[in-house]
Amino acid sequence: MSVEPGFDREFVLGELITPRDADEICTQLAAVLGQPVAVLDAAGTVFAGNAPGAGSVQAPLTLELEPVGFLACACDAVALKGAARVVRWGLLSRARFRMVSDLHLEAVRADYAKLQQQNEALRASEAKYRELAEILDAKVKEQVRIIDERQRQLYQAERLASIGQLAAGVAHEINNPLGFVNSNLSTAERYVAQFAALRDMVPAEKWKAADLDFVLEDFAELLADSQQGVARIARIVKDLKGFSSVDQPDVQLADINGQLESLFAVIAGQKPPGVTLTSELSPLPPLMCLSGHLNQAFLNILQNALQAVGESGTVTLRSLATGSHIVVQIDDTGPGIPDEVLPYIFDPFYTTRGVGGGTGLGLTVARDIVLTHGGTITAATRPEGGARVTVELPL
Amino acid sequence: MPELDRDAGRLTFKLVYYGPAQGGKTTNLMQLHDLVGAEMKGELMTLETQHDRTLFFDLLPLGFRAPSGLTIRFRLFTVPGQVAHDGTRKAVLSRADGVVFVADSQRTESINNGESFQNLVENLGRVGLDIDRLPLVVQFNKRDLPAILSEDEVRERYAGAPWPLVFATALRGEGVLQTFATLLRGVWQGYAQELELDSTHGLTEETFVAAALGGAA
Ligand SMILES: Nc1nc2c(ncn2[C@@H]2O[C@H](COP(=O)(O)OP(=O)(O)O)[C@@H](O)[C@H]2O)c(=O)[nH]1
Ligand SMILES: [Mg+2]
């Protein structure tokens, strides 16, 4: 019934004695009893010795309750019974020995299996703890990274806020004088017209000698130029204000193209004359974002591109919408990004420029801002040369 | 599950006396050997004792023939009680068809009893036996000694347990047959239907117990 025969199974004759040993016993007993002796198994078949002849008697060899075999001999039954007691005693010793050794084996095996189980459990828990340690390690690193990032964002946000306040303050201060300069220029234009009306009242030779025709014409032109200059100053101030977005510090729906345009206007003033700025903006859906922060990110990327092209080259700003994202690409015709730099390009304080060329934070900050918007930022060298930074923002 | 050897016409029950060291397991078998009048009764085999303590096990074979001609055999084993011999204890316990737990009634032995019973429960699990289905009798032995738990105290402690309780003084043979008879009843109830003891072999619970005890009860 059990898979392996246990120590407690009942032994058959063959397990307790070999036919050779049984033969030996038969020979010895035959000498004592004076007749050939046979050992039969439990079923009565000859196991050892000579087959019993006519008139033989049998004596059982019983270890527990029922005989495992018999002695058979044509001799006195009482004498054979005595012989059987001796043989039984021998078989019983063997049986006891077998039982004990089998039990011992079984016990050892059980202990071994238990040890193995414990070992297995130990190994499993060890593996679990190792895994736990690894997870913890990774979590700590991730936390450190997040704290780093938050710190940079905070730093950036503060910087952005102060720049914004400064821009707003400057804009306010400039707008006032700009207002009266503009109004004075309009008045001056009127005055010039009044002077022109006096022409007939001034002697012609005197008028000519003073070259007043030219003066009046040039005066009007100067005033028109000045008005244009004032208008331009007003626009720059407005762009600066829009760029810093100090008026709207919270998440809001923003027109990214509009922002990119005012950004371009700001940056146009910084570029060397040999550099061309082009933009290819496709219609975009409005985006929920921190527009001031995104502006800072795009500005950082644009400044990086400008620095890359140096005195001459082209920086191209592109925008387009896919079903799920807004994509902004900034290409430059600079030297591109060397392969060995590429993996570190967004790392904090990694700069290839000399001291004073940049903080090394520009692209890092840009990446952090894009990541807070759930977006991605990648940098690559274009096949035709020059670098391309691609920002994808989920809608 | 009892071992049914159809060819030899034999049905063998393995019954195990379990319990703390020195509780009286061997004494139970010695007394049974003297008291039981079963048709077939073998010698009590004591396998290797060390300082009067069972090192391996004791074995007492008993048996009778059923009206159907089937030979019913009981092989009563004891386990070594010492804590160190757990592997042996487990091996002896495996394939058991019934268990007597021999507890020592002395107050000082309560903890040993508890630990041994816990060990029995664990080992039953390890050898794949279901304690809820295995016939089990709890014997509180050594009732003759002075500093023992009263019967009420014992009953109170085992109030929630489903197993029959028997009080014994094995040294004087008291309660030994009753313990064995109680286990036999559990065994009959547990296996009679499956083995067709009543229907095929003509053994009711009463005749089964009576034949095993040989009229000694
Ligand atoms: N006073 C008393 N002693 C007992 C009783 N039963 C067993 N003993 C003694 O307790 C000791 C251990 O008994 P034994 O049967 O060898 O315990 P085992 O280790 O469980 O096999 C022996 O000295 C026994 O004589 C009993 O009912 N009363
Ligand atoms: Mg013992």
Side-chain angles (χ1 to χ4, degrees):
Chain A
M1 190 148 291
S2 51
V3 186
E4 254 180 75
F7 79 95
D8 52 357
R9 72 187 187 283
E10 223 143 331
F11 299 106
V12 296
L13 191 60
E15 285 177 284
L16 300 175
I17 189 168
T18 63
R20 229 188 55 194
D21 288 346
D23 271 335
E24 166 80 12
I25 286 170
C26 289
T27 310
Q28 297 301 330
L29 285 179
V32 176
L33 296 170
Q35 292 289 335
V37 176
V39 174
L40 313 179
D41 66 14
T45 317
V46 177
F47 180 78
N50 302 305
S56 67
V57 288
Q58 293 186 359
L61 302 166
T62 304
L63 302 186
E64 283 189 31
L65 298 178
E66 290 162 304
V68 293
F70 301 89
L71 279 189
C73 179
C75 68
D76 175 50
V78 177
L80 189 65
K81 220 174 173 176
R85 286 174 65 97
V86 176
V87 173
R88 173 193 178 267
W89 187 84
L91 292 178
L92 193 61
S93 301
R94 298 290 282 263
R96 290 165 61 111
F97 176 76
R98 280 296 297 266
M99 270 183 145
V100 167
S101 59
D102 285 4
L103 173 67
H104 183 65
L105 241 158
E106 219 174 299
V108 166
R109 226 181 277 141
D111 285 345
Y112 180 67
K114 196 166 148 189
L115 269 178
Q116 259 184 333
Q117 253 174 17
Q118 286 172 345
N119 194 22
E120 201 67 32
L122 215 67
R123 235 190 323 223
S125 74
E126 195 192 310
K128 215 174 77 189
Y129 281 116
R130 199 170 328 120
E131 195 182 326
L132 208 68
E134 275 165 22
I135 291 174
L136 266 178
D137 192 46
K139 275 205 174 138
V140 167
K141 280 191 180 137
E142 172 68 7
Q143 289 299 321
V144 167
R145 195 191 62 72
I146 289 174
I147 290 169
D148 257 12
E149 194 181 296
R150 291 280 182 280
Q151 229 164 10
R152 277 202 305 276
Q153 281 170 3
L154 210 65
Y155 165 75
Q156 191 54 34
E158 270 169 22
R159 211 175 77 140
L160 207 58
S162 53
I163 291 173
Q165 274 164 3
L166 193 66
V170 168
H172 186 75
E173 289 305 321
I174 291 175
N175 265 340
N176 264 343
L178 215 54
F180 64 74
V181 167
N182 198 32
S183 132
N184 289 353
L185 285 173
S186 301
T187 312
E189 245 177 354
R190 252 194 355 263
Y191 290 167
V192 171
Q194 286 174 0
F195 280 129
L198 293 177
R199 185 177 197 203
D200 296 337
M201 295 175 197
V202 179
E205 60 274 23
K206 284 209 171 149
W207 185 272
K208 247 196 173 122
D211 202 6
L212 283 181
D213 271 331
F214 170 77
V215 168
L216 279 177
E217 200 179 317
D218 198 35
F219 200 173
E221 223 168 274
L222 286 179
L223 287 176
D225 280 359
S226 298
Q227 268 176 324
Q228 268 176 26
V230 165
R232 197 159 149 225
I233 292 172
R235 204 174 63 241
I236 291 173
V237 166
K238 187 171 141 271
D239 284 343
L240 197 63
K241 239 172 112 180
F243 153 72
S244 63
S245 289
V246 276
D247 331 353
Q248 303 110 9
D250 292 328
V251 174
Q252 55 175 352
L253 271 179
D255 165 25
I256 298 296
N257 276 346
Q259 295 195 176
L260 290 173
E261 271 161 10
S262 58
L263 208 50
F264 237 45
V266 170
I267 218 168
Q270 305 179 356
K271 77 174 180 67
V275 173
T276 315
L277 294 176
T278 59
S279 64
E280 302 164 10
L281 305 180
S282 315
L284 298 179
L287 181 75
M288 281 302 284
C289 63
L290 288 162
S291 54
H293 289 212
L294 270 188
N295 269 338
Q296 180 67 48
F298 292 133
L299 176 67
N300 289 357
I301 301 167
L302 279 170
Q303 279 173 336
N304 216 60
L306 272 183
Q307 271 174 307
V309 294
E311 287 306 312
S312 69
T314 307
V315 171
T316 307
L317 177 63
R318 202 173 291 116
S319 76
L320 57 106
T322 68
S324 56
H325 287 80
I326 283 178
V327 183
V328 176
Q329 257 173 10
I330 291 130
D331 291 357
D332 67 57
T333 54
I337 307 158
D339 284 349
E340 65 270 20
V341 173
L342 212 47
Y344 311 106
I345 189 110
F346 294 111
D347 284 3
F349 305 110
Y350 188 91
T351 178
T352 52
R353 293 185 197 106
V355 180
T359 58
L361 264 177
L363 287 183
T364 311
V365 166
R367 182 200 59 183
D368 289 350
I369 291 170
V370 169
L371 289 183
T372 13
H373 283 82
T376 57
I377 182 168
T378 53
T381 301
R382 289 178 297 135
E384 59 271 34
R388 164 173 293 171
V389 175
T390 307
V391 173
E392 293 193 33
L393 298 165
L395 283 170
Chain B
M1 191 63 206
E3 202 176 314
L4 179 61
D5 183 345
R6 288 182 194 281
D7 296 337
R10 269 195 326 217
L11 175 61
T12 308
F13 293 94
K14 178 177 180 178
L15 307 175
V16 176
Y17 280 64
Y18 210 97
Q22 298 293 92
K25 300 177 292 292
T26 304
T27 309
N28 261 273
L29 292 204
M30 280 161 51
Q31 290 292 337
L32 274 179
H33 179 261
D34 293 346
L35 296 172
V36 164
E39 189 183 334
M40 293 183 262
K41 182 162 78 175
E43 292 168 16
L44 173 64
M45 241 192 268
T46 293
L47 277 120
E48 315 315 323
T49 57
Q50 193 183 46
H51 313 306
D52 195 31
R53 292 177 170 211
T54 310
L55 199 53
F56 292 105
F57 58 88
D58 308 302
L59 168 57
L60 175 66
L62 298 171
F64 65 89
R65 219 169 297 279
S68 65
L70 184 73
T71 304
I72 309 282
R73 305 191 318 161
F74 303 97
R75 300 178 90 207
L76 279 55
F77 286 89
T78 67
V79 296
Q82 294 92 303
V83 178
H85 297 152
D86 198 45
T88 311
R89 202 159 38 238
K90 195 178 125 192
V92 173
L93 185 65
S94 59
R95 301 175 289 272
D97 301 309
V99 169
V100 171
F101 182 81
V102 180
D104 193 321
S105 297
Q106 297 178 90
R107 290 186 177 279
T108 51
E109 300 302 308
S110 291
I111 290 175
N112 286 340
N113 291 338
E115 283 175 353
S116 179
F117 196 86
Q118 188 57 38
N119 176 257
L120 168 63
V121 173
E122 282 168 15
N123 275 337
L124 282 174
R126 291 204 188 104
V127 302
L129 290 171
D130 182 357
I131 192 166
D132 294 328
R133 298 184 54 194
L134 188 75
L136 174 63
V137 175
V138 176
Q139 178 192 76
F140 266 78
N141 189 30
K142 306 196 184 177
R143 300 308 299 168
D144 58 319
L145 292 181
I148 56 171
L149 294 171
S150 72
E151 294 200 5
D152 283 344
E153 280 174 298
V154 173
R155 285 211 181 85
E156 202 178 310
R157 287 187 188 191
Y158 277 76
W163 310 292
L165 268 177
V166 180
F167 295 92
T169 302
L171 197 59
R172 298 203 295 249
E174 293 164 17
V176 169
L177 280 173
Q178 194 200 338
T179 303
F180 184 45
T182 308
L183 182 64
L184 286 171
R185 288 183 188 282
V187 165
W188 188 92
Q189 287 160 15
Y191 306 108
Q193 195 166 7
E194 203 166 339
L195 297 168
E196 302 175 344
L197 291 184
D198 199 353
S199 53
T200 305
H201 301 291
L203 289 169
T204 64
E205 185 176 328
E206 293 309 320
T207 55
F208 180 78
V209 174
L213 299 181

